[in-house]
Amino acid sequence: MIYCGRFLTPRREDARTQKTDGETSRSGCLRGSIPTARNVMREYTELERIRLEKLERLRANGIEPYPARVKRTHTAAEAIAQYSSVPALSGEAAHGSGPEIAATVCGRLRAVRTMGKATFAHIEDGTGRIQIYMRADEIGTDMLKTFGRDFDLGDFIQASGVLFRTKTGEITLRVRELTMLAKAVTPLPAAKEEIVDGQRVIHYAFSDTEQRYRQRYVDLAVNPEVRDEFRTRARIISAFRRFLDDRDFLEVETPILQPLYGGAAARPFTTHHRQLHQDLYLRISFELYLKRLLVGGYERVYEIGRDFRNEGVSFKHNPEFTMLEFYWAYADYNDVMNLTEQMVTYVADNVLGRRTITYDGHRIDLTPPWPRMTVREAIREHSGIDYADHPTGESLAAAMRAIGHNPETTIWGKLLDSLLGTNVEPKLIQPTFLMDYPRDISPLAKAKPGDPNTVERFEGFIGGMEVCNAFSELNDPLDQEQRFLEMGRAYDANDEEAHPMDEDYLRAMRYGMPPNGGFGLGIDRFTMLLTDKATIREVVLYPHLRKAEGEA
RNA sequence: GGGCCGCUAGCUCAAUGGUAGAGCAGGGGCCUUUUAAGCCCUUGGUUAGAGGUUCGAGUCCUCUGUGGCUCACCA
């Protein structure tokens, strides 16, 4: 199999020539270079060559395999719906009678059952499948022969005719005219399916994980349930948007290319602007840009978009992921917690129509209120360590070693994160808010009144995953500057996770920032929960993969 | 980076160290209400690659490649 890319010539003679010249396809694809139409040749498989012959035969018979015009009158669903109002007749003479409803449907040919001088087939469009029926005495012997010989599973076709009900009761299009819309050169993986007791049973499914992600279009084409999952994802995003819009939050867009990254503890991707001779970072969060807008006078802003973090990949980490953040003036983290409960149940109600979900075998109830406990209590409960007894990194590391951890750092905040991640997070299956985080790991959150070492921050956990993170935002410019300095000292000078000093952000805050509550939620992880997917790759259309064989 | 598992026909999968197979897809036939249509015939393989052990390797060993899971890393 050659992965070099696009073809230059569809002629089978040429394809054969290429094959004997074994070097052509490989050497045309220079290692380290991006393939272009110039340096790439294509090698066809035997199945593809057979289809290319059919394509040429169609052309030779005056049938354009890629016509420019389409004339659809009904989707599959519309055709079926319209004919459903025609009462089903019973008795031997029933099938074939009834009113004539003309329809032209388009779609991909998914199943063919040839019976000599008649053929049944199913075509599938974006709304579903519809059966078509062709008789030699109606569309002509030649056309039926052409269909049988030169049309293949996977081709897009257009069928015009009248609707009727077969003797088994299936609404079917009796075809008078058949048009090729787009010949498929490469066969789709052969998957068959049947309905048994209302359940779809799939035979010979296309199931190789890597191929499914790498060629998502094939995955989508042959696995309709995958199409459904991404529709669900879209509905989740639109429900979040609707919820916030309805509450007067303004949707905004902030820079993805940033001269300075911030708002989270993560390594960034670096890029470069050629003309300006300027290094730029892909954003790791929207936070600092969104809060600047509160200085500008907007009271409620939100953004849904992509963050990029140059970290490891795992079942819950993709290098780029979709984040929702909002900032709400004159609110604090208690208000945000309440709004979070409302928002999550709103999305569940609107997308699923229920508030209980099943995730990884667990039955999870999203109905508010969710239990709220402090981070200190949670860590004490799940690890036996009270971090108040261990004010230094050395002391905390020692306590963690005593319970089986093997910490590689003595940075107190990192240790605490690790403790949370391994001992607490996996246990939080039912929705839970952990609140009141140590100031050390929360440089952008406001301290709790009367407790300068603790900040008003919470994270929401569902299904053992951190789903959201929020706080009463720090709006004291002098305190903020101090926090940046502390972070700079706490981390190694070369540690890219340390928050860089963002002078412009401090300047903005010095102009006056209203007190506000901020919030961030990982859309991908939330979608995993609502669709019961064990890995983020199932809810990202094109997840990051290692480079494929043969690619540079 | 470590550990575990995998890589056999286009797809899904078989094959005690002893002739590389099946279903579907593909090709050729038959069949005018089928629906995983059916029936007959049939093409298709450097078993990821290289080396080794053996009379004999898909199978055992080594190395390489590649992917998945997992640990580490990572809000």
Side-chain angles (χ1 to χ4, degrees):
Chain A
M1 182 62 74
I2 303 300
Y3 292 93
C4 285
R6 298 307 307 168
F7 57 87
L8 279 182
T9 165
R11 293 187 166 274
R12 69 180 283 237
E13 290 77 12
D14 293 343
R16 197 188 288 140
T17 308
Q18 284 168 34
K19 191 163 191 179
T20 56
D21 180 9
E23 275 305 295
T24 306
S25 52
R26 284 269 173 202
S27 60
C29 207
L30 296 173
R31 249 188 126 61
S33 69
I34 295 169
T36 67
R38 286 191 103 95
N39 65 17
V40 168
M41 293 297 243
R42 183 71 167 88
E43 197 172 273
Y44 291 108
T45 66
E46 185 187 343
L47 293 182
E48 287 170 330
R49 287 198 297 272
I50 289 167
R51 288 186 173 213
L52 289 168
E53 285 174 32
K54 296 179 179 188
L55 189 148
E56 296 206 339
R57 193 156 51 220
L58 286 170
R59 282 216 166 99
N61 291 333
I63 298 174
E64 168 54 44
Y66 302 101
R69 296 288 174 267
V70 182
K71 202 168 70 188
R72 173 158 84 170
T73 65
H74 293 69
T75 64
E78 285 166 355
I80 289 168
Q82 191 172 338
Y83 200 81
S84 294
S85 59
V86 176
L89 303 172
S90 56
E92 289 296 315
H95 50 268
S97 57
E100 291 217 336
I101 295 177
T104 297
V105 295
C106 300
R108 202 193 270 281
L109 196 54
R110 297 315 299 263
V112 176
R113 295 174 293 281
T114 306
M115 314 188 52
K117 296 189 176 60
T119 293
F120 283 93
H122 271 96
I123 63 175
E124 181 179 78
D125 67 13
T127 67
R129 291 186 179 204
I130 186 168
Q131 180 168 255
I132 62 174
Y133 174 54
M134 291 163 285
R135 296 168 57 101
D137 55 5
E138 289 176 358
I139 67 165
T141 309
D142 288 348
M143 188 63 223
L144 192 63
K145 191 176 172 192
T146 295
F147 177 83
R149 191 184 53 190
D150 296 334
F151 283 44
D152 286 299
L153 296 182
D155 293 348
F156 282 92
I157 64 171
Q158 172 177 292
S160 301
V162 295
L163 295 164
F164 76 110
R165 229 182 283 260
T166 63
K167 73 177 181 187
T168 57
E170 180 164 352
I171 294 169
T172 301
L173 186 74
R174 180 184 292 256
V175 181
R176 300 259 161 84
E177 200 178 339
L178 194 66
T179 309
M180 176 65 79
L181 293 181
K183 181 76 187 158
V185 173
T186 305
L188 287 168
K192 288 210 160 196
E193 61 179 65
E194 62 175 333
I195 309 291
V196 177
D197 302 329
Q199 294 291 308
R200 249 179 105 249
V201 178
I202 301 164
H203 305 270
Y204 317 112
F206 177 66
S207 59
D208 181 85
T209 312
E210 186 200 352
Q211 285 197 62
R212 284 186 49 232
Y213 299 155
R214 244 181 238 294
Q215 295 182 261
R216 182 68 89 179
Y217 38 88
V218 176
D219 187 29
L220 293 164
V222 303
N223 294 325
E225 70 281 1
V226 176
R227 286 204 294 271
D228 287 342
E229 303 295 0
F230 286 101
R231 286 201 181 93
T232 301
R233 181 186 167 112
R235 283 164 52 225
I236 288 169
I237 292 171
S238 101
F240 275 117
R241 193 168 264 136
R242 201 162 53 242
F243 179 90
L244 291 166
D245 288 344
D246 288 349
R247 282 156 188 77
D248 293 324
F249 281 84
L250 180 72
E251 180 169 11
V252 298
E253 290 164 285
T254 61
I256 292 173
L257 289 175
Q258 303 181 345
L260 212 56
Y261 59 94
R267 291 184 185 82
F269 285 95
T270 309
T271 185
H272 186 77
H273 192 294
R274 199 197 305 249
Q275 199 74 63
L276 302 180
H277 305 296
Q278 183 183 14
D279 281 330
L280 292 165
Y281 303 98
L282 301 188
R283 67 182 172 191
I284 58 173
S285 86
F286 324 151
E287 174 148 5
L288 300 182
Y289 279 96
L290 287 175
K291 280 193 281 188
R292 282 173 171 96
L293 297 176
L294 302 184
V295 173
Y298 295 121
E299 294 189 359
R300 300 174 185 197
V301 294
Y302 76 97
E303 179 164 5
I304 295 174
R306 213 71 66 84
D307 273 341
F308 307 84
R309 297 188 182 176
N310 204 339
E311 311 277 8
V313 297
S314 78
F315 73 94
K316 57 179 176 177
H317 296 272
N318 196 57
E320 52 182 298
F321 62 99
T322 301
M323 188 78 158
L324 160 65
E325 289 190 30
F326 71 70
Y327 294 86
W328 180 12
Y330 314 119
D332 63 28
Y333 80 145
N334 291 301
D335 302 311
V336 174
M337 244 183 290
N338 295 333
L339 194 71
T340 300
E341 289 173 337
Q342 289 176 40
M343 181 164 65
V344 166
T345 46
Y346 175 89
V347 173
D349 286 346
N350 278 269
V351 174
L352 302 176
R354 57 191 151 78
R355 293 181 176 186
T356 55
I357 57 172
T358 302
Y359 187 70
D360 195 23
H362 299 287
R363 188 180 169 77
I364 295 172
D365 187 355
L366 301 174
T367 308
W370 302 348
R372 303 177 180 190
M373 65 195 303
T374 67
V375 170
R376 191 177 157 197
E377 284 166 2
I379 290 180
R380 201 165 46 196
E381 182 181 324
H382 293 287
S383 73
I385 294 175
D386 184 346
Y387 63 70
D389 296 339
H390 304 282
T392 68
E394 287 74 17
S395 167
L396 186 57
M400 286 169 64
R401 253 179 236 113
I403 59 167
H405 282 259
N406 188 20
E408 289 174 351
T409 175
T410 52
I411 297 170
W412 194 86
K414 285 195 170 189
L415 290 169
L416 195 83
D417 253 355
S418 159
L419 201 51
L420 257 183
T422 40
N423 287 64
V424 181
E425 184 170 345
K427 309 266 180 57
L428 302 177
I429 304 298
Q430 296 299 322
T432 308
F433 288 125
L434 293 192
M435 50 194 289
D436 298 347
Y437 279 64
R439 172 192 148 110
D440 284 44
I441 57 172
S442 313
L444 300 164
K446 185 180 279 189
K448 259 179 104 71
D451 184 356
N453 292 320
T454 304
V455 295
E456 293 197 342
R457 171 181 175 185
F458 74 83
E459 293 188 316
F461 296 86
I462 305 175
M465 280 191 296
E466 178 201 337
V467 169
C468 62
N469 180 21
F471 23 93
S472 300
E473 303 291 336
L474 182 55
N475 65 340
D476 174 343
L478 304 181
D479 190 357
Q480 184 66 72
E481 182 169 19
Q482 193 60 36
R483 301 286 193 93
F484 280 146
L485 288 170
E486 284 171 21
M487 290 301 289
R489 277 198 295 273
Y491 285 75
D492 187 289
N494 296 321
D495 192 337
E496 288 186 306
E497 285 180 32
H499 288 235
M501 176 72 72
D502 189 332
E503 289 290 355
D504 180 70
Y505 178 63
L506 291 172
R507 177 170 59 187
M509 201 181 279
R510 284 196 294 268
Y511 281 107
M513 179 186 289
N516 68 93
F519 174 88
L521 175 139
I523 293 286
D524 313 279
R525 290 186 188 176
F526 190 77
T527 303
M528 288 167 66
L529 286 168
L530 290 205
T531 57
D532 194 13
K533 294 298 174 205
T535 152
I536 196 168
R537 293 177 169 194
E538 290 292 341
V539 299
V540 172
L541 276 170
Y542 299 103
H544 178 77
L545 299 170
R546 289 189 172 86
K547 55 184 184 264
E549 182 188 4
E551 288 180 11

